[in-house]
Amino acid sequence: MNKKFFAKTMFLALTGFFFSLHLKATVPYFSILSHHTEIILQDDYTVTYKVKKSTLILDKKGLGHGNILIPYSEIHRIMAFEGRLIDPSKGRVVKKISAKELSDYNNISKDALFDDQRVKFYGMGEEKLPMIVEVEYEVKQSGNFYFNSWYPLWYYNQKVEEATLEIRYPQALGLRYRKYHFDLAPDSSQFGDEISLSWKMKGLNPLAKEQENQAMYLKILPKKFSLEGFEADMSDWKNFGLWFAKLMVGKGEVTASLKEDIHRQVRGLERDTQKIEALYRYLQENYRYVYIGLGIDGWMPQNAAQVHQLKYGECKGLTNLMRSMLKEVGIDSQYTLVNAGVNEEDIDIEWSSNQFNHAILRVPLEDQTIWLECTSKTNPVGFLGEFTKNRHVLVITEDGGIIDKTPDYQEPAFNTFLTKNVIELKEDGNAHIEGEYIFKGNPSNNFLGLRTTMNGKDQKSFLNRNLGGSGLLIFDFYLEHHVENFVPTAKINFTGDLQKFAQNTSKRVLIPLNWKKISKEDLMNGKLYVHDIYEIHVSDKLEPENKLPQITDLNEEYSLKINTSWKEGVIRVEKHLETHFTCSETGNDLTALWQKVNVASIPSIVFKKIE
């Protein structure tokens, strides 16, 4: 045990214990943390992490702060470990925690077939508080493809007594770093070829969960790097892309059997776009996505012939297979890396580094660029959808990496829906409806996989919730998909009933001007173009009480026009909506726009009953 570290920990722990009730902070804290981290990069590209951590737990709400969690894998090996539970009031070690007492479990995706990511874990029980959890461990990483980021504060509602970081690395290999939410410059020194950087922070106040965007951290990035013998330079995107190009050498093998399958799919097709669509459909229908992350294979694509034989692959393998198939028919394409996910942030293009979690395919043609999501069973050809749209990406070429950006799908063609509704109002306020809805681009997303992912009953329930306003009960529907100029379209024809469509009083009937409301999801892409038509057939014993409403609402956020007319027992309502939102707006702004649009469309048409 490091006695100097232990003595300092005891002093800080006892100080925190006796005075914690008197210390005042805006955010409550349930534990006090002191920790020291050393990161040592060697000439052979190996990285050693040495961590010493002491956590004084003051409240049951902070028990999780004392949990011990150490990720490891084929690349990360735990070299040493010590753990102790200490009673701060007596300075006595209550329990020693050995490496054998740590639980071991897979840190594995539900879609993974093979993955070497594992975790050593020790969970706090109902310990008598206050209690100190003291941990020392060492992890050796084979290769410096990436470094763990350093966080002075480990948990929300945790006070930091002291946090220190020391980084040592050879000048010849180099190293970069970037600070987030703090300005403290490192102390630096050099001994021979070794450079040392260190940071020390004291007395950091706790943060609440809602302050997560204020959390301080240090991102550490390599210059020259190696992973399992593949060496390269990460100082710029071109050189970083060359490393990925090395990983792909020899991976495009096309066997005789695969060649036969490929040429069968494109037989009789002349245009490149036709061949791309045919091979993409073949990929979707015959191969499935399975995550595989073992060592460097977490970055190296599977051989195309292997994916063809197994009929499954991860994103890299499926993308490489599609690339190889296109090459066989004379179409050039480029393996491309992206940070994917609906809620994921875009990469920082100013800092060349591994910021990616997914692979897609870029197909540059003479007059356009086509993007292919090769793991999707439902995406139409050339449409990425929410998962990877509007992202900077690293395109891998033989000459290195280049930065490009995926489409943002802001054009009207990708953000339009058209509806036509014929409604027959009944005396009790219920109604019968026949509808034809056409969703183009982003709005079609919800309906692309409907038939393949749900049974008939669930499909109807989904459509009842997502096609219109409240009270819809669909009896029958017909759904078709098609793609035109790489814009996906979903067309739905349906019949059903509308419960409580109109409000009945003894003398009047109130009919909604806007039955189908706009959802927040409809507005997520910023732009939306809507054209709704309603033909509402009513009894000859009803007539408008007042002049029919005509609405025009034009502003910076949206334009809305609603025209109504009445002729021989039929009310015709025609609505045009166009939003002018930007994707950079905040969630609160989106909610405000959603509310404004729907409130502007709320008015009802009042009919009086006649004898």
Side-chain angles (χ1 to χ4, degrees):
M1 182 191 304
N2 186 319
K3 294 182 178 179
K4 183 176 180 181
F5 180 73
F6 176 73
K8 187 175 184 180
T9 297
M10 290 298 298
F11 172 75
L12 295 174
L14 289 169
T15 301
F17 172 63
F18 288 117
F19 293 98
S20 62
L21 296 178
H22 302 285
L23 296 174
K24 293 185 178 180
T26 303
V27 177
Y29 60 92
F30 312 129
S31 68
I32 301 175
L33 172 68
S34 296
H35 63 104
H36 173 73
T37 301
E38 290 182 60
I39 302 176
I40 306 163
L41 172 61
Q42 304 287 355
D43 291 318
D44 63 357
Y45 297 102
T46 59
V47 181
T48 300
Y49 298 91
K50 297 181 179 181
V51 178
K52 299 176 182 178
K53 183 164 74 87
S54 174
T55 306
L56 170 62
I57 302 172
L58 302 168
D59 188 285
K60 287 184 178 181
K61 294 179 181 178
L63 278 171
H65 300 179
N67 290 344
I68 301 168
L69 190 149
I70 310 173
Y72 76 100
S73 66
E74 183 180 326
I75 294 173
H76 303 82
R77 299 191 180 277
I78 300 173
M79 309 303 293
F81 171 82
E82 287 185 27
R84 295 168 288 276
L85 301 183
I86 301 170
D87 181 350
S89 63
K90 299 178 181 178
R92 181 173 61 87
V93 176
V94 176
K95 177 181 175 58
K96 291 185 178 180
I97 306 169
S98 68
K100 292 181 180 180
E101 295 178 79
L102 301 179
S103 301
D104 190 317
Y105 64 88
N106 286 325
N107 185 21
I108 189 169
S109 164
K110 66 178 181 179
D111 295 317
L113 182 63
F114 305 109
D115 195 345
D116 64 352
Q117 303 298 314
R118 302 186 66 86
V119 171
K120 291 288 187 181
F121 178 79
Y122 181 88
M124 294 294 291
E126 293 296 323
E127 311 293 347
K128 183 180 177 181
L129 302 180
M131 179 68 69
I132 295 175
V133 183
E134 200 169 88
V135 180
E136 298 182 38
Y137 61 87
E138 180 179 321
V139 174
K140 189 172 185 179
Q141 175 180 308
S142 60
N144 65 326
F145 180 61
Y146 54 84
F147 291 87
N148 294 340
S149 295
W150 179 67
Y151 292 83
L153 186 68
W154 283 41
Y155 291 97
Y156 301 112
N157 300 105
Q158 181 179 69
K159 182 179 175 66
V160 174
E161 199 73 43
E162 182 173 284
T164 61
L165 169 67
E166 182 180 2
I167 306 174
R168 302 200 300 272
Y169 63 94
Q171 186 176 16
L173 296 186
L175 185 138
R176 300 169 293 156
Y177 64 86
R178 189 169 189 181
K179 299 176 292 185
Y180 292 84
H181 309 302
F182 73 94
D183 298 319
L184 180 66
D187 292 328
S188 61
S189 60
Q190 183 169 352
F191 300 94
D193 184 46
E194 184 179 76
I195 295 176
S196 175
L197 304 173
S198 62
W199 286 263
K200 179 182 287 189
M201 300 182 182
K202 292 185 176 182
L204 302 180
N205 288 325
L207 291 179
K209 177 66 171 69
E210 54 270 23
Q211 297 173 297
E212 60 182 341
N213 60 350
Q214 301 176 29
M216 297 181 290
Y217 66 100
L218 183 80
K219 184 180 289 186
I220 307 163
L221 308 169
K223 287 186 177 179
K224 293 183 178 179
F225 74 97
S226 175
L227 185 61
E228 295 194 17
F230 288 82
E231 298 182 6
D233 191 321
M234 203 184 288
S235 299
D236 56 55
W237 291 116
K238 179 179 179 179
N239 281 299
F240 192 30
L242 283 173
W243 183 78
F244 281 102
K246 287 182 184 179
L247 299 185
M248 299 186 68
V249 172
K251 298 296 181 181
E253 177 188 356
V254 177
T255 62
S257 174
L258 178 53
K259 282 186 180 182
E260 185 179 339
D261 281 351
I262 293 170
H263 290 285
R264 185 185 303 114
Q265 303 305 316
V266 300
R267 189 172 295 141
L269 303 180
E270 296 182 359
R271 297 197 306 272
D272 283 349
T273 53
Q274 292 176 310
K275 296 175 183 179
I276 292 167
E277 183 172 1
L279 290 173
Y280 185 67
R281 187 168 56 248
Y282 164 77
L283 181 78
Q284 290 181 310
E285 292 174 353
N286 293 276
Y287 300 86
R288 63 189 177 93
Y289 169 78
V290 175
Y291 175 70
I292 301 173
L294 297 172
I296 198 170
D297 286 337
W299 308 105
M300 180 185 288
Q302 295 166 279
N303 190 293
Q306 182 185 22
V307 177
H308 175 247
Q309 179 185 8
L310 296 173
K311 294 295 185 286
Y312 65 75
E314 23 77 296
C315 62
K316 300 176 292 297
L318 294 172
T319 300
N320 182 51
L321 173 61
M322 186 67 197
R323 173 176 171 267
S324 302
M325 292 194 297
L326 291 177
K327 184 177 180 181
E328 176 63 22
V329 297
I331 300 174
D332 183 43
S333 62
Q334 295 148 343
Y335 184 86
T336 300
L337 297 169
V338 60
N339 189 39
V342 175
N343 297 315
E344 290 289 333
E345 294 182 358
D346 197 3
I347 65 169
D348 185 344
I349 62 174
E350 300 300 322
W351 288 80
S352 53
S353 60
N354 177 45
Q355 304 174 50
F356 310 102
N357 61 10
H358 191 54
I360 57 177
L361 195 65
R362 178 180 185 265
V363 189
L365 301 178
E366 287 187 7
D367 58 343
Q368 63 183 316
T369 296
I370 298 172
W371 299 88
L372 300 177
E373 170 53 72
C374 298
T375 64
S376 173
K377 287 282 191 180
T378 58
N379 275 18
V381 61
F383 184 70
L384 294 177
E386 294 288 332
F387 198 55
T388 53
K389 74 175 185 182
N390 197 31
R391 305 291 172 88
H392 285 95
V393 295
L394 181 62
V395 181
I396 309 303
T397 73
E398 293 180 355
D399 299 322
I402 58 174
I403 293 293
D404 198 357
K405 196 170 187 181
T406 58
D408 60 10
Y409 301 120
Q410 293 284 294
E411 299 92 336
F414 287 100
N415 298 280
T416 295
F417 64 75
L418 314 168
T419 77
K420 184 175 181 179
N421 306 269
V422 178
I423 298 172
E424 293 183 11
L425 181 64
K426 301 177 183 179
E427 290 186 6
D428 59 3
N430 296 328
H432 178 76
I433 182 171
E434 294 183 5
E436 180 181 276
Y437 287 15
I438 299 174
F439 301 89
K440 295 184 177 182
N442 292 293
S444 72
N445 263 344
N446 283 338
F447 309 100
L448 293 178
L450 194 62
R451 290 204 181 277
T452 58
T453 59
M454 298 182 189
N455 60 35
K457 182 179 178 181
D458 289 340
Q459 291 173 20
K460 286 186 178 180
S461 296
F462 179 85
L463 293 176
N464 286 336
R465 295 192 305 271
N466 290 276
L467 276 188
S470 61
L472 176 62
L473 290 176
I474 289 177
F475 299 151
D476 195 16
F477 73 93
Y478 176 73
L479 169 65
E480 63 176 292
H481 299 131
H482 70 273
V483 180
E484 185 176 350
N485 295 324
F486 300 103
V487 179
T489 298
K491 181 180 178 182
I492 305 172
N493 291 84
F494 67 93
T495 61
D497 275 352
L498 299 177
Q499 296 180 324
K500 298 181 180 179
F501 174 68
Q503 296 182 44
N504 255 323
T505 68
S506 59
K507 296 183 178 181
R508 293 176 179 81
V509 176
L510 279 70
I511 298 175
L513 195 62
N514 182 44
W515 172 69
K516 178 175 172 51
K517 295 183 178 180
I518 302 300
S519 70
K520 287 185 185 179
E521 289 72 22
D522 293 331
L523 296 172
M524 287 300 290
N525 204 45
K527 307 297 183 184
L528 187 64
Y529 303 84
V530 179
H531 183 193
D532 289 333
I533 296 175
Y534 297 92
E535 291 183 2
I536 307 171
H537 297 254
V538 302
S539 165
D540 57 6
K541 295 181 180 180
L542 294 176
E543 64 179 21
E545 184 174 64
N546 301 304
K547 184 178 179 181
L548 295 178
Q550 313 294 326
I551 296 175
T552 299
D553 187 355
L554 308 177
N555 56 64
E556 293 182 354
E557 295 176 312
Y558 64 87
S559 60
L560 173 67
K561 292 184 179 180
I562 300 179
N563 297 316
T564 59
S565 61
W566 162 260
K567 185 178 180 181
E568 297 178 356
V570 178
I571 311 158
R572 181 180 171 87
V573 180
E574 190 165 357
K575 179 176 78 172
H576 293 270
L577 170 68
E578 179 178 338
T579 64
H580 319 294
F581 206 58
T582 60
C583 294
S584 60
E585 301 288 353
T586 66
N588 290 336
D589 291 334
L590 179 63
T591 299
L593 175 62
W594 167 67
Q595 292 172 338
K596 286 179 184 178
V597 169
N598 284 314
V599 167
S601 306
I602 274 179
S604 298
I605 304 173
V606 180
F607 280 75
K608 62 182 179 181
K609 298 178 180 179
I610 56 178
E611 298 299 330

